[in-house]
């Protein structure tokens, strides 16, 4: 049965992009990668009988070839389930509803919504849905950064006019000090769901993850993890 299969494989190797707080980011003390995603995948792996979860950090766009090369079993990185990605990879059921948001410098008085981004300099994280959104904007000069943090730093420095990234990540960033120089504009673009990705062919692994996710939701454990990172 599937439990036997899970027990044969004692280590789950999870790829992530560890600068995406509060989903995955290094803990101040020893640099361990912590966050909502990390707590959730560890709880899921435990349910599935894994003895060990190994987290491998890399660039977001590197997660896809790493799955193809078998270097990681799954990618969990606040990764949105998109039609395009679904052509190449399997995804679990959605585990978190997200959305895209725009931030600008607090002293910016000309950008009030997505519509005002035409022809502007936009910072994004390489390979993300935020980057795709920015590419659609007429005349925008889009700069791809390795991480969202870097995009936000360039906003601070005045080298980009706006950053498009995931709403919960930008909210966390503003709350943790970013609000000293940045603010959100416009309304979030909702209807974006995070899933755990795996290479095609790992159907059994995806089924196991879905089952574990459902059990954690039913038992209230998912809610506990959620409240730890996002508040009740
Ligand atoms: N949710 C976005 C995406 O999937 C961003 C993910 C990330 O930067 N870690 O593209």
């Amino acid at each position: 049965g599937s439990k036997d299969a899970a027990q044969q494989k004692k280590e789950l190797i999870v790829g992530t992009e560890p600068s995406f707080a509060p989903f995955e980011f290094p803990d101040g003390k020893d640099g361990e990668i912590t966050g909502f995603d990390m707590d959730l995948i560890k709880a899921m792996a435990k349910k599935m009988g894994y003895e060990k979860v190994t987290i491998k950090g890399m660039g977001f766009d590197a997660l896809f070839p790493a799955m193809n090369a078998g270097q990681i079993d799954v990618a969990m990185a606040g990764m949105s389930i998109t039609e395009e990605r679904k052509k190449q990879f399997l995804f679990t059921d959605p585990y978190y509803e997200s959305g895209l948001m725009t931030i600008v410098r607090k002293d910016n008085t000309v950008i009030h919504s997505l519509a005002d981004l035409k022809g502007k300099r936009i910072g994004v994280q390489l390979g993300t849905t935020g980057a795709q959104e920015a590419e659609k904007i007429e005349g925008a000069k889009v700069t791809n950064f390795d991480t969202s943090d870097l995009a936000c730093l360039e906003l601070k420095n005045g080298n980009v006019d706006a950053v498009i990234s995931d709403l919960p990540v930008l909210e966390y960033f503003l709350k943790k000090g970013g609000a000293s120089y940045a603010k959100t504009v416009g309304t979030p673009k909702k209807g974006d769901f995070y899933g755990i990705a795996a290479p095609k062919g790992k159907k059994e692994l995806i089924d196991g993850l879905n089952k574990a996710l459902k059990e954690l939701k039913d038992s209230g454990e998912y809610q506990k993890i959620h409240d730890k990172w996002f508040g009740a």
Side-chain angles (χ1 to χ4, degrees), residues 83-171:
E83 289 309 314
E84 205 185 326
R85 289 172 187 163
K86 265 166 47 182
K87 285 181 197 151
Q88 281 183 288
F89 299 94
L90 297 175
F91 277 92
T92 59
D93 296 333
Y95 68 84
Y96 188 89
E97 183 174 2
S98 188
L100 289 174
M101 195 55 180
T102 305
I103 58 168
V104 298
R105 282 178 52 104
K106 251 165 67 175
D107 53 15
N108 187 307
T109 53
V110 293
I111 300 170
H112 306 287
S113 70
L114 270 184
D116 298 327
L117 290 177
K118 279 182 194 151
K120 293 283 187 283
R121 300 166 303 164
I122 306 173
V124 293
Q125 182 177 8
L126 183 65
T128 62
T129 48
Q132 278 172 14
E133 192 65 24
E135 292 295 349
K136 288 189 214 156
I137 298 166
E138 200 188 305
K141 188 180 169 294
V142 180
T143 307
N144 286 274
F145 295 96
D146 283 340
T147 67
S148 279
D149 289 354
L150 279 174
C152 291
L153 188 64
E154 287 303 273
L155 181 71
K156 187 178 188 176
N157 295 338
N159 294 326
V160 296
D161 302 305
V163 171
I164 302 179
S165 186
D166 290 18
L167 175 65
V169 170
L170 290 178
E171 279 178 337

Side-chain angles (χ1 to χ4, degrees), residues 39-50:
D39 281 354
L40 185 58
I41 193 70
K42 281 174 189 159
M44 289 165 84
K46 198 172 162 200
K47 278 239 172 282
M48 294 164 76
Y50 285 98

Side-chain angles (χ1 to χ4, degrees), residues 17 20 24 60 77-80 85 125 127-130 148 166 192 194:
E17 191 287 289
F20 210 59
E24 40 269 329
F60 187 78
M79 187 181 283
S80 305
R85 289 172 187 163
Q125 182 177 8
T128 62
T129 48
S148 279
D166 290 18
D192 195 24
Y194 293 166

